[in-house]
Amino acid sequence: MPGPRALLGLGLLVAAARAGGRCRERGWSWSWNRGWNRGWERGWERGRCLPHRAMHSPGTARPGPAGLRFLGQEEAQAIDQELFTEYRFSVEQLMELAGLSCATAIAKAYPPSSFTTSQPAVLVVCGPGNNGGDGLVCARHLKMFGYQPTVYYPKRPSKPLFEGLTTQCKKMDIPFLPEFPAEAEFIDELYGLVVDAIFGFSFTGAVREPFGSILSTLERVTVPIASIDIPSGWDVEKGKADGLQPDMLISLTAPKKAAMHFTGRYHFLGGRFVPPALQEKYALNLPAYPGTDCVLQLT
Amino acid sequence: GPRRPPARSPRAPKSLPGVERGPGCARGLGTALSPVLSGACPQGSRAEAEAMEKELLEDYRFGRQQLIEIWGHACAVAVTKAFPLPSLPRRQPTLLVACGPAQNGAIGLVCARHLRSFDYEPTIFYPKRSPDPLHRDFTTQCEKMDIPFLSYLPTEVQLINDAYNAVVDAVLGAEGTEGTAGTEPCAAILATLRLVRIPIVSLDVPSGWAAGPGGSGDISPDVLVSLAAPKEVARRFQGRRHFLAGRFVPEELQRKFGISPREYPGSDCVVAL
């Protein structure tokens, strides 16, 4: 009498859609023994703020774990397309998981108790596309985690997905600013963190207004900036040496080549939804996420 | 000189004047009377759960797929808390996920997918597939994650006991009525679930419980994951662990439906009750 598993294997299993075996190998288990550095709190207090650039010398980009691939723009777009067409995910689903990852990474690196502002106030700047949508989801989760997010969302696509996400935020008492703070100092005074959800991996060409002015202001801000997927304004592969210098980068799905130029303190991987088969196909070599966490700290 | 920020009122966050606010910002006056307070729906009742879901979809403009994704992910997290990988008795981290034909089944599909990404080995039994394109997409996503789908559930219960560490019951949930609980294939699944000796995790409402008052025919889940708020029938639950997946419920809805606020650990989407 064959064992129960064999019996199930022989008689009962409908052939899985893919004939190949599963690859369980995720390589090494990435563990990074780095205590949470609260020293930055003292540096960021008003009146003693240091500009980002002074704290990080250019060109000290940290490499990721050995073997981890950094994607080019076309590759990133191809993977995205495959998730929607082959794997039948919806933008709605993946955006929810991506935004949750961003909020979770922020909660790990900048817990509410670490804010020097009296409330853990966060400014979320949302761009005109999917990166902006990720920002809206992130804002909603930040609210649930006890932060006080405020959104600036100047160019809103008239699609049900984005209208729905906007309504969800508004109904949860998340204010939407009518105009962008005119001065960087104003942002520094009101918020302890800025989330850059302006442009993502599809960004090409010139930055259109109002985002040019917004990015100029953000470049002068001294509170930490957390960029979703790509620091906005950067070339997705080459970066931008004189552009935004965020303190945190949350790479979604897999890091893009621009991340090699990232010199901020926190690089997280998020978007824990890539099926093993897709990971294999593109040889992403993603390190293992810890437990059920939807984020993985890379540096 | 530079514009000074307005003085903060006690409850409102700092903001610039003229800030857009949604209707949820109105406190006290003007908010609709809770269906609970108005006596229209008893607390924890199916009618109340439906009213909340309606409000999430119509007023808050959540997408249905978005909600199912949120619920399925939260259920998977709860399963990993109830049955951490190192604690599983079998050599392989196998789980059987039994999915019914309606929304509870779809939640089970999403749960299975997340369990797979958490390195468990779920196997799905989904005999009566919903024609809803949304549910079909959830099915494809599971297939593409190499999750096997059983073509039939063995009636010899020992096979199930031996093959899997636990069963996730996503068969009927709150949708179970006397009618559906008695029809095939749900009736056969429930008959089998009554006999398994491995732990059962029920999603939202143990399948068959909503059909009527508790009896000896009820399945006895080890773990219950309540969605949004515990349902009335959850009072009969006597299993080991009860989780609430309610972090996604906006504060205004919690107040409106009389859901007591809970402390969720860290950024967890579920809390043990």
Side-chain angles (χ1 to χ4, degrees), chain B residues 149-252:
Chain B
F149 281 67
L150 293 181
S151 52
Y152 70 90
L153 197 63
T155 43
E156 196 183 320
V157 175
Q158 198 50 41
L159 290 176
I160 300 178
N161 292 338
D162 288 342
Y164 305 105
N165 292 280
V167 183
V168 176
D169 158 33
V171 182
L172 289 173
E175 298 144 345
T177 58
E178 212 166 305
T180 51
T183 57
E184 294 304 335
C186 298
I189 304 177
L190 289 187
T192 304
L193 288 186
R194 280 183 207 116
L195 298 172
V196 294
R197 289 174 170 274
I198 52 176
I200 297 174
V201 183
S202 282
L203 304 191
D204 203 28
V205 172
S207 295
W209 284 29
S216 58
D218 277 354
I219 61 170
S220 302
D222 188 47
V223 178
L224 177 62
V225 187
S226 290
L227 300 176
K231 309 299 173 296
E232 206 181 336
V233 293
R235 284 179 222 170
R236 290 170 8 212
F237 176 68
Q238 292 185 331
R240 184 175 54 98
R241 304 290 300 272
H242 186 186
F243 292 93
L244 175 62
R247 197 161 197 177
F248 70 96
V249 183
E251 267 180 43
E252 191 209 358

Side-chain angles (χ1 to χ4, degrees), chain B:
Chain B
R3 234 177 358 165
R4 292 190 55 78
R8 272 194 320 124
S9 60
R11 309 261 327 253
K14 289 182 194 177
S15 65
L16 300 172
V19 162
E20 287 167 58
R21 289 178 183 275
C25 293
R27 295 186 197 277
L29 295 177
T31 51
L33 191 63
S34 154
V36 171
L37 296 178
S38 68
C41 316
Q43 193 162 29
S45 70
R46 183 174 167 177
E48 189 183 63
E50 285 175 0
M52 191 196 300
E53 194 174 305
K54 185 165 188 277
E55 200 160 334
L56 284 168
L57 292 168
E58 292 177 13
D59 295 354
Y60 282 75
R61 300 278 309 274
F62 277 90
R64 188 170 284 283
Q65 190 173 34
Q66 183 185 16
L67 286 178
I68 296 176
E69 185 72 28
I70 290 171
W71 293 331
H73 170 255
C75 288
V77 171
V79 169
T80 67
K81 286 186 187 294
F83 304 102
L85 273 174
S87 78
L88 297 177
R90 313 232 162 283
R91 204 163 33 90
Q92 305 292 111
T94 53
L95 296 169
L96 176 63
V97 184
C99 298
Q103 184 157 283
N104 201 251
I107 297 171
L109 293 174
V110 175
C111 176
R113 174 165 45 84
H114 283 282
L115 285 170
R116 174 73 178 87
S117 76
F118 296 154
D119 288 329
Y120 289 73
E121 288 181 24
T123 296
I124 295 174
F125 180 56
Y126 187 33
K128 190 170 169 200
R129 301 201 180 183
S130 160
D132 186 334
L134 178 66
H135 296 189
R136 281 209 312 264
D137 283 346
F138 286 139
T139 306
T140 306
Q141 292 157 24
C142 284
E143 286 169 347
K144 294 285 202 168
M145 291 275 286
D146 297 335
I147 299 173
F149 281 67
L150 293 181
S151 52
Y152 70 90
L153 197 63
T155 43
E156 196 183 320
V157 175
Q158 198 50 41
L159 290 176
I160 300 178
N161 292 338
D162 288 342
Y164 305 105
N165 292 280
V167 183
V168 176
D169 158 33
V171 182
L172 289 173
E175 298 144 345
T177 58
E178 212 166 305
T180 51
T183 57
E184 294 304 335
C186 298
I189 304 177
L190 289 187
T192 304
L193 288 186
R194 280 183 207 116
L195 298 172
V196 294
R197 289 174 170 274
I198 52 176
I200 297 174
V201 183
S202 282
L203 304 191
D204 203 28
V205 172
S207 295
W209 284 29
S216 58
D218 277 354
I219 61 170
S220 302
D222 188 47
V223 178
L224 177 62
V225 187
S226 290
L227 300 176
K231 309 299 173 296
E232 206 181 336
V233 293
R235 284 179 222 170
R236 290 170 8 212
F237 176 68
Q238 292 185 331
R240 184 175 54 98
R241 304 290 300 272
H242 186 186
F243 292 93
L244 175 62
R247 197 161 197 177
F248 70 96
V249 183
E251 267 180 43
E252 191 209 358
L253 279 192
Q254 288 183 35
R255 277 194 298 272
K256 194 167 170 178
F257 287 87
I259 299 172
S260 1
R262 309 243 177 214
E263 251 331 280
Y264 283 80
S267 50
D268 283 5
C269 52
V270 298
V271 62
L273 294 181

